[in-house]
Amino acid sequence: MSTDKSKAIFGFGARLSEERLKLGFTQKALAALLEKTSMTQIKYESEETKPDLLYLAGLHKLGADIFYIVTGLRSANAIAKDEIEILNGYRALDVRGKAGVLGMIDGLGGIPAAPKNQSIIHGKVGQQIVGDINGSNTINMPGKKSKK
């Protein structure tokens, strides 16, 4: 491995092994899934041979970061296996289901910070009061009128 081209991909075997483990596969299981032999997988990871494009495309479908395997740099588009499952589930939902998921994600995102000079008071049933903390505040809450 002395040419400039081979130096660019040197270490791909270790990165391939790292991505395989990240996906939760043994060498034998991944090889079978991608229609290769265990020995072929071992040779890829030991860098005796290089994987073909069909193999790399199959790895990509499983959620591996192919850009990282080849270059050693993490892809900005890398997506974890659980994220792929979530994305596929989301895509299968109708509009109402997607709105529900987005609402849930928004709700789990935490309480936003109050803008400068303002205070946010949260109620028990989703009420939110926003007001200027430097001025006088009056809060009128509607309720049942008492019978006289």
Side-chain angles (χ1 to χ4, degrees), residues 44-147:
Y44 289 163
E45 292 184 18
S46 66
E47 298 184 33
E48 285 183 50
T49 59
K50 295 175 186 80
D52 59 30
L53 293 176
L54 289 174
Y55 175 87
L56 292 175
L59 269 180
H60 176 71
K61 286 182 182 178
L62 293 173
D65 185 352
I66 303 305
F67 188 76
Y68 172 68
I69 293 170
V70 174
T71 67
L73 303 171
R74 287 283 176 197
S75 170
N77 298 325
I79 187 166
K81 190 175 180 181
D82 61 337
E83 293 171 324
I84 291 171
E85 290 178 34
I86 292 167
L87 185 58
N88 288 337
Y90 177 81
R91 288 178 176 165
L93 295 172
D94 62 6
V95 175
R96 187 173 176 187
K98 288 178 181 179
V101 169
L102 292 175
M104 179 187 68
I105 291 170
D106 187 45
L108 292 172
I111 299 170
K116 190 174 181 179
N117 295 331
Q118 287 195 348
S119 174
I120 298 179
I121 302 168
H122 296 276
K124 289 185 179 180
V125 194
Q127 300 98 338
Q128 179 173 312
I129 303 167
V130 179
D132 183 352
I133 60 172
N134 293 324
S136 61
N137 292 317
T138 302
I139 302 171
N140 295 316
M141 301 295 287
K144 292 183 178 181
K145 294 183 180 182
S146 60
K147 295 182 182 180

Side-chain angles (χ1 to χ4, degrees), residues 11-58:
F12 80 88
R15 294 187 298 269
L16 173 60
S17 176
E18 181 183 340
E19 286 293 291
R20 173 183 56 78
L21 292 171
K22 185 179 89 175
L23 294 172
F25 292 108
T26 63
Q27 288 177 325
K28 185 177 181 178
L30 182 62
L33 198 57
L34 297 174
E35 299 179 353
K36 300 290 181 183
T37 65
S38 297
M39 186 51 67
T40 300
Q41 183 67 34
I42 291 167
K43 287 183 178 184
Y44 289 163
E45 292 184 18
S46 66
E47 298 184 33
E48 285 183 50
T49 59
K50 295 175 186 80
D52 59 30
L53 293 176
L54 289 174
Y55 175 87
L56 292 175

